[in-house]
Amino acid sequence: KVNVFARYNNTTTNDGGSEHEISIQCDAIVVALPIGVLQSKSVEFIPPLPEQKQDAICGLGSGLMNKVIMVFEKRFWGNLGGWIYGSRTRGKFRLWIAPEKNEPVLVCLLPPDYAKLSEDLTDEELQSEAISVLRTCFPSYSNSIRVTHFYRSQWWNDPFSRGTWTYIPAGSHPSMIDKIAEPINDRIFFAGECTNRSDFSTVHGAFDSGKRAGEEILALL
């Protein structure tokens, strides 16, 4: 739990841990928390954020996509660069990508519906389901598919992420992004892709927002 205090000429951050507490006093702070973390209210701002900023945070959406990365003993899919798998379970191991032309590596993108379900599975269970799908796609190699390394993301359950990117749901407006980006009393500044109206949901949008927040602070010096 993090408490951000805006008092006098200082901004103080406490990590609030059970074993120790860290306090950093400074003239300004840049908050670059993902939209999902802001919405989870796991971070407490004292005093609370302005109501309009809170409304903007709640008005945006936190998207989700997980990845499964698998390394095999051998490449059994030939020269295919990728393919789409159709399942009765929406989004289940839908998009497969072979990122390296000559390497036995596959990446599977799990869209929102199945991405969230997948996070309730153990690594062994998820790997087993993935192999089952691959055996369906490549029946002639069914008995020779062997995994050497398995990796996965779990962005929804990650307390420091709570999702993967920002989106604007029906009924909301891009101006909400501008509202989140607004500094508070020239003390608390905001960055992250959820504060970049033109390039939200992207890595470069997050990067550019950091530069913008830095420039806002430099303008006050």
Side-chain angles (χ1 to χ4, degrees), residues 194-213:
C194 64
T195 69
N196 192 324
R197 181 167 177 170
S198 59
D199 292 306
F200 63 92
S201 301
T202 67
V203 172
H204 62 273
F207 180 82
D208 289 345
S209 75
K211 293 197 297 182
R212 183 257 306 149

Side-chain angles (χ1 to χ4, degrees), residues 46-78:
I46 302 174
L49 296 176
E51 186 174 345
Q52 286 186 329
K53 189 179 288 287
Q54 293 188 51
D55 290 343
I57 290 171
C58 293
L60 296 176
S62 179
L64 178 65
M65 178 174 286
N66 276 319
K67 290 182 181 179
V68 169
I69 302 173
M70 305 174 75
V71 183
F72 301 86
E73 286 187 353
K74 62 181 180 180
R75 187 182 176 101
F76 54 84
W77 55 90

Side-chain angles (χ1 to χ4, degrees), residues 127-142:
Q127 178 177 317
S128 177
E129 290 205 5
I131 292 175
S132 177
V133 168
L134 290 172
R135 285 172 174 164
T136 300
C137 295
F138 301 93
S140 58
Y141 293 93
S142 180

Side-chain angles (χ1 to χ4, degrees), residues 108-180:
C108 185
L109 303 182
L110 309 180
D113 292 334
Y114 188 71
K116 187 174 289 188
L117 292 175
S118 73
E119 297 201 16
D120 293 329
L121 301 178
T122 65
D123 288 358
E124 292 75 17
E125 291 170 336
L126 190 61
Q127 178 177 317
S128 177
E129 290 205 5
I131 292 175
S132 177
V133 168
L134 290 172
R135 285 172 174 164
T136 300
C137 295
F138 301 93
S140 58
Y141 293 93
S142 180
N143 295 323
S144 59
I145 298 177
R146 294 183 177 84
V147 178
T148 60
H149 296 83
F150 178 85
Y151 310 94
R152 57 156 344 153
S153 63
Q154 293 175 283
W155 295 120
W156 191 258
N157 288 329
D158 186 333
F160 300 108
S161 298
R162 300 295 188 190
T164 47
W165 55 60
T166 301
Y167 69 91
I168 303 174
S172 295
H173 193 274
S175 62
M176 292 177 172
I177 295 175
D178 298 330
K179 182 58 64 175
I180 296 175

